[in-house]
Amino acid sequence: MKDGKIRFTLNGRDVVYEDSPLRRLLDVLREDLGETGVKEGCGEGECGACSILLNGKLVNSCMIAMGTIHEKELMTIEGLRETEQGKCIIDAFADAGAVQCGFCIPGMVMAAQSVLQDAPRPSEEEIRKGISGNLCRCTGYDQIVQAVQMASEKGAGLW
Ligand code: FES
Ligand code: FES
């Protein structure tokens, strides 16, 4: 960051950012980079709607300042859904009837990816813990847990 530029990769492509290091990553993703699958719910790190993977770890992008992401690797739902893993998770959410209003789903899918990266055959407890930072007002969570279990079974070998 010697030249004041923040460089990072987003879904595998190189990005150079030259605006304020204080802006929220969520805003830059949505407003500058067109990643509108990343949602703003609470804006306070409580709902998980803005979840992305940062160096492979699930984070709330509303709580991250641009100045902290230099040379890091970011993946959003836009990138994940192009992968076999992402397709498998998204299909499982549809098959399990886990999508109602859909607002929480991009963040939930990112959380599911994080769970399956850590434990390709997760227990129900591991799934519930892994999605505990993501709020859903519609489904009651049971179908979401089932969707992650289905993705784990159908996508065996992908993680
Ligand atoms: S919008 Fe980021 S956690 Fe709710
Ligand atoms: S499906 Fe509506 S908030 Fe989760």
Side-chain angles (χ1 to χ4, degrees):
M1 218 168 98
K2 290 180 207 111
D3 55 4
K5 295 179 183 169
I6 293 166
R7 294 180 167 79
F8 57 97
T9 69
L10 174 63
N11 301 325
R13 73 174 199 272
D14 294 331
V15 179
V16 180
Y17 170 84
E18 301 181 58
D19 200 343
S20 166
L22 299 178
R23 284 179 74 201
R24 298 187 308 172
L25 173 56
L26 170 62
D27 297 326
V28 174
L29 288 172
R30 287 184 56 84
E31 293 164 15
D32 299 18
L33 299 167
E35 306 283 308
T36 52
V38 186
K39 303 295 182 199
E40 174 156 16
C42 65
E44 297 177 347
E46 299 292 334
C47 74
C50 65
S51 297
I52 66 158
L53 295 176
L54 181 63
N55 284 355
K57 194 170 164 282
L58 191 69
V59 296
N60 293 323
S61 60
C62 70
M63 300 299 286
I64 306 238
M66 287 305 294
T68 66
I69 65 158
H70 186 57
E71 293 185 341
K72 296 198 172 155
E73 208 174 292
L74 281 61
M75 181 178 269
T76 65
I77 187 68
E78 278 85 353
L80 182 61
R81 73 179 171 212
E82 300 302 324
T83 68
E84 289 306 307
Q85 295 168 333
K87 284 178 193 150
C88 176
I89 296 170
I90 289 165
D91 286 350
F93 270 69
D95 291 348
V99 182
Q100 290 190 32
C101 82
F103 189 78
C104 71
I105 297 302
M108 281 292 181
V109 169
M110 299 313 292
Q113 168 71 3
S114 175
V115 167
L116 292 165
Q117 275 174 193
D118 289 348
R121 299 307 300 260
S123 65
E124 181 178 338
E125 198 188 337
E126 285 172 319
I127 296 170
R128 287 192 186 273
K129 191 164 168 244
I131 63 167
S132 62
N134 294 66
L135 300 183
C136 176
R137 287 163 295 135
C138 304
T139 66
Y141 300 95
D142 287 350
Q143 296 99 314
I144 292 173
V145 172
Q146 204 191 335
V148 182
Q149 285 166 333
M150 284 169 65
S152 163
E153 281 159 28
K154 285 197 185 165
L158 287 180
W159 289 276

